Amino acid sequence: MAYSGLARFIEQLEKHGELIRIREFVNPELEISEITDRISKLPGGGKALLFENNGTPFPLLINALGSENRIALAFGRHHVSEVEEEMTRLFRELVIPRASWWEKLRMLPMLKEVASWMPKKIAGRGLCQEVFMGRPDLEMLPVLKCWPADGGRFITLPAVHTLDPENGIPNVGMYRMQIFGKALTGMHWHPHKTGAAHFEKYKASGKLMPVTVTLGGDPVYIYAATAPMPENMDEYLLAGFLRKKQVRMVKCLTNDLYVPEDVDFVIEGFVDPSEEPVREGPFGDHTGFYSLAGDFPKFHVTCITHRKDAVYPATIVGIPPMEDAWIGKATERIFLSPIRLTMISELMDMDLPFAGVAHNIAIVKIRKTYPGQAVKVMHSLWGAGQMMFNKIMVVVDESSADIHDYSVIARIFRDNFDTRHSLHFSRGPLDILDHSSQNCGFGSKLGIDLTRPFPEEVQHRQKGNPWAEWKLPATGLRGMLSPEFNSPDLKKHLPFLKETANLCESLTLPVLLLTVDKNERYSKRALEEALSKITGLDSFWAVVLFDHGACLDDLFALVWLLGGNLEPYRDISFIDIPGNGNGRVMLVDATIKTGHHDRFQRDWPNIVTMDNATVAAVDLKWPLLGLGDFLPCPSMKYKPLVKGQGAVRELV
């Protein structure tokens, strides 16, 4: 099903019980974010929210794609798996070898169908140009200030249209846009993005770069702008495939770019590559941490048009799960087949956990037929499109059941993990938003091979896996570690050691969890020395450090912190245990890093949380919003990890 504008999609959301209309006034500065954060973290993603009274002429739709059901509705399907199956059939037909002309001729109907999805340029004006704003004024839109330390208000769901000046191939990407005036924004494209590549070409030519931003329209446009499409492939071909109907494109009024004729808003303009950049940010980002201020190009607005029934689309990002997690899950399913059928034939399944914020953690299932295959797959995926940003990759084999069931993954860890042979380190590109690496955009990666080893892979190993038959003693944690571990003497010797827990009871994993206060008395070396002398530490294969304030009984939060704060080469070390036949115990440092303790030279960002005044205002307003039972602020459990009021974490 195709939707002509967001108003039509809203009708379907309401019909299926997936929308809540909020008629009470809610401020786009922080309040909408706080309400959306509470709703989007409900099981299954909560509901889409339509803020009809926001101080502007336009209603604001948010969390529209924030559940599996709503993404399926956006795609016009009953379930996202239908798109996965369609993509598999399409790629299988396109890549299979054709032995004869007759077989090749039989492809013609499919090629004709693919051609019918190609975007089509039409003459005249579109619905998106029904209303012409005499003087462009971005302040007429309900643009959000999402989080307290944000540098300002940001357009968060823009489809940014650019054109390669050398070959004329268009691109659509999604790059946040900070508002600096009625007709001026930043253009936050990262160096690895196609929009940035186009910018560099215009810069070399000395010409102005035409840019047009669209908002809304058929929700498949929003998805297509986020999708990891191959270079030089039109995102609107993907939109046409999803809606089974070509996208009709109209020419902009003040530049020569084309945009879908049924979007809600069109913001036309240009970037002058010779102009000094603007300081943009900070911004509470999808990593759950602030991305800090940086220099980015200025986007000058020359024209704004919109539909008569225009709806402003927005999203917020921050500590997962939020709407972007569900969009990422759809991408995981849709693009699995193209990767398997064109690059990695042994790939069987993939999971991008919500706690891994898309690029920090990936779980991969392969059909293993030769030694070293898991490592080969790691490096193949690290060289594949946006998978190059992955930091931690776990590879399992076909003996694993459902890799989307994390209790299954825990069992595989227990059965197959070996600290001596399962870890594979590499280096490569990281997401620009990764804050853990000493160098922005570049750092180490960790591959964890949990496949069953072939004989060639274990010829130098000790016989058997020491953890395969591991069981928690009846006496629990205290029966595993000597009494001095919990004695006042240890805390006196290590005053920065705060709390202890383990994954023995919950997941039957021999992993010890500690929180530490990285104050002036903290010493990682002293901690390692003390741990090495603890009788029974060899009952564990890993000790994981978190900052004091982390909730050790919240496994989701711990995995999120681990993925965000870990730089594998730097933060994984080993404690030698005298007389330990199992070798060594892995020490994993998932704490914040500082210049004093870790020689870390970059600013460390704060975790994204809401300010107390906004939380109190929303608490007071909640009964008027029609959102059902009261939901507490999700930020509160992370407040102990925040230091200072700004985007940069203060060292106190």
Side-chain angles (χ1 to χ4, degrees):
M1 175 188 293
Y3 300 97
S4 178
L6 284 180
R8 305 292 84 75
F9 184 48
I10 287 170
E11 291 173 0
Q12 285 297 307
L13 291 175
E14 203 156 30
K15 178 181 176 181
H16 287 82
E18 289 285 348
L19 179 83
I20 299 175
R21 292 179 179 267
I22 300 174
R23 295 180 171 88
E24 180 74 13
F25 172 74
V26 179
N27 196 329
E29 183 166 331
L30 301 180
E31 287 188 357
I32 287 180
S33 291
E34 173 60 18
I35 293 167
T36 305
D37 191 27
R38 300 186 191 196
I39 294 294
S40 64
K41 285 183 169 56
L42 286 170
K47 303 290 185 183
L49 303 176
L50 187 67
F51 290 90
E52 297 180 317
N53 186 357
N54 55 58
T56 77
F58 305 104
L60 180 147
L61 179 67
I62 197 167
N63 205 33
L65 299 180
S67 76
E68 189 173 355
N69 287 339
R70 291 197 292 282
I71 287 182
L73 277 175
F75 292 167
R77 311 299 200 279
H78 296 291
H79 197 277
V80 175
S81 62
E82 295 176 36
V83 180
E84 182 181 1
E85 292 164 2
E86 292 168 17
M87 186 70 81
T88 299
R89 288 195 298 270
L90 173 64
F91 266 80
R92 186 173 288 123
E93 287 296 321
L94 291 176
V95 303
I96 190 172
R98 306 289 169 176
S100 68
W101 279 105
W102 288 113
E103 288 180 337
K104 294 175 182 178
L105 287 173
R106 280 199 289 269
M107 281 192 67
L108 291 178
M110 172 166 285
L111 295 176
K112 182 179 179 181
E113 183 181 12
V114 172
S116 73
W117 304 332
M118 295 292 292
K120 178 184 179 181
K121 295 178 180 179
I122 62 174
R125 292 197 176 188
L127 292 171
C128 62
Q129 296 163 329
E130 285 181 320
V131 180
F132 175 82
M133 191 179 290
R135 281 188 174 182
D137 184 0
L138 294 168
E139 294 178 0
M140 292 289 291
L141 306 179
V143 182
L144 299 180
K145 180 177 181 182
C146 302
W147 299 102
D150 283 358
R153 295 186 298 145
F154 288 82
I155 298 174
T156 54
L157 273 182
V160 180
H161 299 68
T162 60
L163 201 69
D164 189 312
E166 296 177 354
N167 56 31
I169 296 176
N171 180 74
V172 186
M174 188 164 287
Y175 322 116
R176 76 186 191 221
M177 299 165 58
Q178 183 175 347
I179 304 295
F180 290 106
K182 293 179 183 293
L184 180 66
T185 80
M187 189 58 71
H188 186 93
W189 46 45
H190 292 168
H192 55 268
K193 297 296 186 181
T194 305
H198 290 177
F199 171 78
E200 291 300 325
K201 291 181 180 182
Y202 278 99
K203 188 174 183 178
S205 70
K207 297 179 180 179
L208 294 181
M209 177 181 182
V211 179
T212 294
V213 175
T214 61
L215 300 171
D218 192 313
V220 300
Y221 303 158
I222 297 173
Y223 175 73
T226 72
M229 294 289 283
E231 286 289 323
N232 298 326
M233 184 171 287
D234 197 326
E235 283 75 13
Y236 289 121
L237 173 60
L238 174 62
F241 162 75
L242 290 171
R243 71 194 294 190
K244 294 297 184 282
K245 181 181 178 182
Q246 66 186 179
V247 179
R248 290 158 51 91
M249 311 286 287
V250 294
K251 187 176 178 296
C252 294
L253 302 183
T254 61
N255 62 38
D256 293 331
L257 300 177
Y258 281 77
V259 297
E261 66 94 16
D262 56 352
V263 295
D264 286 71
F265 294 89
V266 181
I267 305 171
E268 303 177 19
F270 65 89
V271 170
D272 183 352
S274 67
E275 192 175 19
E276 286 296 316
V278 64
R279 195 69 173 171
E280 188 262 12
F283 178 73
D285 231 309
H286 79 277
T287 60
F289 296 81
Y290 281 96
S291 57
L292 303 183
D295 294 329
F296 289 90
K298 297 175 182 176
F299 172 59
H300 298 271
V301 179
T302 55
C303 173
I304 298 177
T305 64
H306 61 84
R307 300 171 60 114
K308 291 179 180 178
D309 59 352
V311 176
Y312 179 83
T315 192
I316 61 166
V317 290
I319 298 172
M322 286 187 174
E323 182 176 13
D324 61 302
W326 296 100
I327 295 173
K329 187 60 66 173
T331 297
E332 167 200 297
R333 306 323 305 163
I334 293 171
F335 285 86
L336 177 64
S337 292
I339 295 174
R340 180 174 65 244
L341 294 173
T342 62
M343 289 182 54
I344 307 172
S345 59
E346 61 266 58
L347 181 64
M348 299 178 68
D349 202 356
M350 180 184 298
D351 182 84
L352 302 177
F354 285 175
V357 297
H359 50 75
N360 281 343
I361 302 171
I363 303 170
V364 176
K365 180 177 178 179
I366 66 170
R367 183 175 292 104
K368 185 175 180 180
T369 58
Y370 56 84
Q373 194 170 7
V375 181
K376 173 260 185 186
V377 168
M378 293 172 193
H379 288 280
S380 295
L381 285 170
W382 284 332
Q386 293 189 27
M387 283 300 293
M388 68 177 173
F389 302 126
N390 168 257
K391 183 160 59 173
I392 303 170
M393 187 176 299
V394 179
V395 183
V396 302
D397 58 36
E398 67 273 21
S399 65
S400 309
D402 181 6
I403 66 170
H404 307 286
D405 181 345
Y406 300 137
S407 65
V408 171
I409 301 303
R411 178 185 57 78
I412 298 168
F413 258 102
R414 186 185 68 243
D415 292 347
N416 293 353
F417 183 79
D418 188 325
T419 55
R420 300 162 298 175
H421 306 289
S422 295
L423 305 177
H424 299 269
F425 294 88
S426 184
R427 292 189 187 275
L430 295 176
D431 193 285
I432 297 298
L433 302 180
D434 183 273
H435 60 270
S436 67
S437 179
Q438 190 71 261
N439 301 299
C440 181
F442 179 80
S444 64
K445 300 172 181 288
L446 172 65
I448 304 176
D449 181 2
L450 298 184
T451 62
R452 291 177 299 176
F454 280 30
E456 297 88 343
E457 297 173 301
V458 296
Q459 59 182 342
H460 300 298
R461 298 190 188 190
Q462 296 178 9
K463 185 177 180 180
N465 184 338
W467 307 112
E469 302 300 325
W470 187 90
K471 293 181 180 179
L472 177 67
T475 51
L477 180 64
R478 289 184 178 275
M480 297 165 63
L481 296 172
S482 56
E484 67 263 29
F485 181 76
N486 290 296
S487 71
D489 290 340
L490 181 63
K491 295 289 182 69
K492 183 178 180 181
H493 182 60
L494 302 175
F496 51 81
L497 182 61
K498 296 300 181 181
E499 297 178 276
T500 64
N502 66 90
L503 299 181
C504 304
E505 289 92 346
S506 58
L507 295 175
T508 325
L509 284 178
V511 176
L512 181 63
L513 309 175
L514 307 178
T515 66
V516 295
D517 186 357
K518 295 183 77 170
N519 53 35
E520 67 279 358
R521 297 174 295 177
Y522 174 78
S523 168
K524 188 175 179 181
R525 178 172 295 181
L527 176 63
E528 291 175 340
E529 291 178 356
L531 289 175
S532 70
K533 299 173 183 176
I534 298 294
T535 304
L537 190 71
D538 58 349
S539 298
F540 296 88
W541 51 250
V543 178
V544 187
L545 305 182
F546 294 96
D547 291 292
H548 180 48
C551 184
L552 293 184
D553 60 359
D554 186 340
L555 188 58
F556 182 95
L558 295 181
V559 172
W560 166 66
L561 287 168
L562 174 68
N565 291 345
L566 185 75
E567 211 284 347
Y569 266 137
R570 179 194 64 216
D571 296 334
I572 296 178
S573 57
F574 297 91
I575 302 173
D576 292 322
I577 307 297
N580 179 5
N582 294 331
R584 52 191 184 170
V585 176
M586 183 167 63
L587 181 65
V588 182
D589 186 351
T591 65
I592 61 110
K593 305 304 181 296
T594 69
H596 177 69
H597 295 298
D598 310 286
R599 298 182 181 177
F600 192 78
Q601 300 305 311
R602 297 170 63 195
D603 286 332
W604 195 274
N606 254 328
I607 291 173
V608 177
T609 58
M610 190 54 71
D611 65 281
N612 292 336
T614 302
V615 173
V618 170
D619 285 351
L620 188 64
K621 190 176 292 189
W622 193 270
L624 306 174
L625 301 177
L627 294 170
D629 294 339
F630 176 78
L631 298 174
C633 172
S635 295
M636 289 306 175
K637 69 177 177 181
Y638 297 100
K639 290 276 191 179
L641 295 171
V642 175
K643 300 298 181 184
Q645 301 298 314
V648 176
R649 190 181 194 277
E650 295 179 7
L651 301 179
V652 294

